[in-house]
Amino acid sequence: MRKILILISSLIITSIGLSQEKPSSLSLQEAIDYALQNNRTAINAARDIDAAKQQKWETTATGLPQLSAKVDYQNFLKQQVQVIPAEFFGGQQGEFAEVTFGTKQNMTAFTTLNQKIFDGSYIVGLQSAKVFLEISKNAKVKTDLEVRKAVIEAYGNVLLAEESIKIFERNIEVLEKNLFETQKIYENGLGEEESVEQLQITLSGVKSNLNNVERLKTLAYQMLNITLGLDVYNNLVLTDSLESLTDQNISLSILEVEANPESTIDYLIAENDTESKSLLLKLEKSKALPTLNAFINGGYSAFSDKFTFTNSDQDWFGSSLVGVSLDIPIFSSGMRSAATQRAQINYEKAKAELTETEQRIKLQIESAKSDYRFAIEDYQNKKENLALAERIEVKNQTKFFEGIGSSFELRQAQTQLYTAQQELLQSMLDVINNKAALETVLNNTTLN
């Protein structure tokens, strides 16, 4: 038996450990999948759905039988005295006798069953609870889309920092070699001091940029951890590269997708808002209708001058009652009419906003497509520019060391190369981010 308990305990501890295990390496898709389960905003959006389900049942339950019980105990510290004409007891006319009615202590226990028979606001409430649940579900979809987009951006920023560091380190290695050779040439009297100083300025600038990017890399990892729902200082290794993700995200087929605003999550949320305003209008109108409720109760009462209610010989007197209650609104001095008109105005506003949302989504889709198309074209252009900048830098470096080119021209070529390198990296990130932005607007994350 003890061995079995030990085995069960070990299995429980192992399962807890596995469930709490943090990932050490992630591809982009794995990061997205992990974030959708562990991002704190996504978790709260799922909780909102659960809360909406409970609210729906709470609203439904108000129209079902309600059973309650009540126990009252009274102990008169000093009983109230009443005066009645003394002649009732054979006394003199005009005189009054002091009497005390009832016992000093009494207890009653009642159970009441209430049931709605007709209530217009209850019917509207049931419809509203259903819409509220739909709103929570759409909000969860919206949250998941935003979390996915945020993970892609954070993941891409980390890769951008990593690639930038590699490039800066290679550039520093080349510059240090050039500086060493130029220094030797100058020391041998075959070069100018300005050439050394130009290379020193360039090297200093690249090292400064490297230090800055290394700090940014730390922040990028921390932002990614937060987006994933991990501890901000969690150590993480990314298995995808910036170049491979760029190639994966170049897809012209997504540009051919028809712009259908009604299928987007923003339109569905605006539609939910319009429906909720319509229900609020119905609710105000329903307040002019009568309400009908029924009830039945039953209980027992006991009386005594001392606390004898727990004794077996205590007398308890039963009673029961059944009835209905009809509440008919007649006149409210225009209050209900004003509330109904206000609800009507809000409903008309919601319909106008729904139309505005539809038009705005159409524009967002076309704008996102344009941005994505430009990002692809810009990426191709930046690749060609980098190839040209590399050739120019090599030519100027050759001219410089052969003594037919100036250090200023070399520095210009190097600066142009470094700019082209960073622009290419940024264009790669733009392709990834703009694709994610377009997918988010389209509410479609399955396109390749």
Side-chain angles (χ1 to χ4, degrees):
M1 182 66 180
R2 184 175 179 180
K3 291 182 178 180
I4 295 175
L5 291 174
I6 293 173
L7 178 60
I8 293 174
S9 300
S10 300
L11 290 173
I12 293 174
I13 293 173
T14 302
S15 63
I16 292 175
L18 289 174
S19 63
Q20 296 178 344
E21 184 179 356
K22 298 178 181 179
S24 58
S25 62
L26 288 170
S27 65
L28 176 57
Q29 187 57 53
E30 290 171 341
I32 293 172
D33 295 339
Y34 186 88
L36 292 178
Q37 297 296 323
N38 296 277
N39 177 274
R40 296 171 184 87
T41 304
I43 291 173
N44 282 339
R47 287 171 177 160
D48 287 339
I49 294 178
D50 293 336
K53 290 178 180 178
Q54 296 303 320
Q55 183 171 342
K56 182 181 178 182
W57 173 246
E58 178 184 347
T59 304
T60 303
T62 60
L64 301 178
Q66 307 291 316
L67 183 63
S68 62
K70 183 179 181 181
V71 177
D72 285 331
Y73 167 69
Q74 294 180 338
N75 186 341
F76 288 96
L77 299 178
K78 184 174 179 59
Q79 288 181 276
Q80 185 177 5
V81 176
Q82 301 286 340
V83 292
I84 61 175
E87 60 186 288
F88 288 175
F89 302 101
Q92 295 294 328
Q93 186 176 2
E95 295 182 356
F96 293 91
E98 298 176 356
V99 296
T100 302
F101 292 100
T103 57
K104 188 175 181 180
Q105 300 187 41
N106 60 72
M107 182 177 286
T108 59
F110 275 88
T111 299
T112 303
L113 178 66
N114 292 290
Q115 174 62 56
K116 288 182 185 293
I117 297 177
F118 176 79
D119 189 340
S121 63
Y122 173 69
I123 298 173
V124 177
L126 290 177
Q127 296 173 330
S128 299
K130 182 180 179 182
V131 172
F132 183 70
L133 178 58
E134 203 63 35
I135 291 173
S136 299
K137 290 180 178 179
N138 285 334
K140 178 66 167 69
V141 174
K142 174 75 172 178
T143 299
D144 286 350
L145 286 170
E146 293 298 331
V147 167
R148 176 183 183 274
K149 182 170 174 283
V151 170
I152 293 173
E153 291 176 352
Y155 197 101
N157 286 335
V158 172
L159 295 180
L160 176 64
E162 294 279 12
E163 291 298 324
S164 295
I165 288 173
K166 292 177 183 178
I167 289 175
F168 282 134
E169 288 175 343
R170 288 199 302 267
N171 292 339
I172 288 173
E173 184 180 353
V174 173
L175 281 170
E176 287 178 340
K177 180 181 178 182
N178 290 344
L179 179 59
F180 176 79
E181 293 176 354
T182 305
Q183 182 73 34
K184 292 299 182 182
I185 293 173
Y186 169 68
E187 290 174 355
N188 291 327
L190 301 176
E192 298 180 356
E193 185 179 10
E194 182 184 348
S195 300
V196 177
E197 292 171 343
Q198 289 283 1
L199 286 172
Q200 286 175 335
I201 292 173
T202 305
L203 179 59
S204 176
V206 175
K207 284 184 176 180
S208 177
N209 288 333
L210 174 61
N211 293 333
N212 184 51
V213 172
E214 286 177 339
R215 290 190 293 270
L216 292 176
K217 183 187 78 169
T218 300
L219 294 175
Y221 269 109
Q222 291 175 351
M223 178 58 71
L224 178 59
N225 281 329
I226 291 175
T227 307
L228 293 174
L230 294 169
D231 181 83
V232 67
Y233 298 114
N234 181 64
N235 292 323
L236 199 60
V237 176
L238 308 189
T239 58
D240 281 326
S241 68
L242 189 61
E243 185 175 4
S244 65
L245 287 180
T246 303
D247 292 339
Q248 293 171 20
N249 281 276
I250 294 178
S251 173
L252 298 179
S253 61
I254 193 173
L255 297 171
E256 306 303 323
V257 175
E258 183 180 357
N260 181 18
E262 295 182 4
S263 65
T264 65
I265 193 62
D266 287 337
Y267 183 88
L268 295 175
I269 290 174
E271 197 173 42
N272 288 152
D273 181 64
T274 303
E275 191 173 357
S276 66
K277 295 298 191 298
S278 172
L279 291 172
L280 287 174
L281 176 59
K282 288 183 179 180
L283 177 62
E284 295 301 333
K285 290 179 177 180
S286 71
K287 291 179 180 179
L289 300 175
T291 59
L292 182 62
N293 298 289
F295 67 90
I296 181 172
N297 65 22
Y300 289 88
S301 301
F303 310 91
S304 177
D305 285 324
K306 297 182 180 180
F307 192 90
T308 58
F309 304 113
T310 58
N311 297 345
S312 59
D313 58 349
Q314 172 68 49
D315 291 328
W316 290 84
F317 304 96
S319 64
S320 61
L321 176 67
V322 63
V324 293
S325 173
L326 179 63
D327 185 3
I328 304 175
I330 297 177
F331 181 66
S332 66
S333 299
M335 181 178 64
R336 286 194 302 272
S337 176
T340 301
Q341 291 178 39
R342 176 172 53 82
Q344 178 70 48
I345 292 171
N346 289 334
Y347 175 52
E348 296 299 330
K349 285 174 59 180
K351 290 195 294 184
E353 289 170 0
L354 179 61
T355 303
E356 178 68 19
T357 299
E358 181 180 7
Q359 299 304 314
R360 186 176 66 252
I361 291 172
K362 288 180 180 178
L363 178 60
Q364 288 176 342
I365 292 174
E366 292 305 319
S367 177
K369 285 184 176 181
S370 176
D371 291 342
Y372 179 57
R373 185 180 287 108
F374 173 75
I376 295 175
E377 294 171 352
D378 190 53
Y379 168 61
Q380 301 295 337
N381 180 53
K382 292 300 189 291
K383 279 204 303 184
E384 295 174 0
N385 288 348
L386 177 60
L388 292 173
E390 287 174 342
R391 288 199 295 270
I392 292 171
E393 195 273 340
V394 170
K395 290 177 182 178
N396 277 274
Q397 191 172 153
T398 302
K399 289 180 180 180
F400 174 73
F401 284 106
E402 289 179 352
I404 57 176
S406 68
S407 59
F408 182 75
E409 291 174 337
L410 175 60
R411 186 168 187 271
Q412 278 189 319
Q414 289 172 331
T415 302
Q416 182 175 259
L417 172 62
Y418 304 154
T419 300
Q421 290 170 339
Q422 293 304 310
E423 287 180 347
L424 176 61
L425 293 181
Q426 185 61 51
S427 70
M428 295 166 74
L429 185 62
D430 288 343
V431 169
I432 298 169
N433 288 344
N434 283 306
K435 171 80 175 303
L438 178 55
E439 290 172 337
T440 301
V441 173
L442 291 171
N443 191 21
N444 193 335
T445 59
T446 60
L447 296 171
N448 295 316

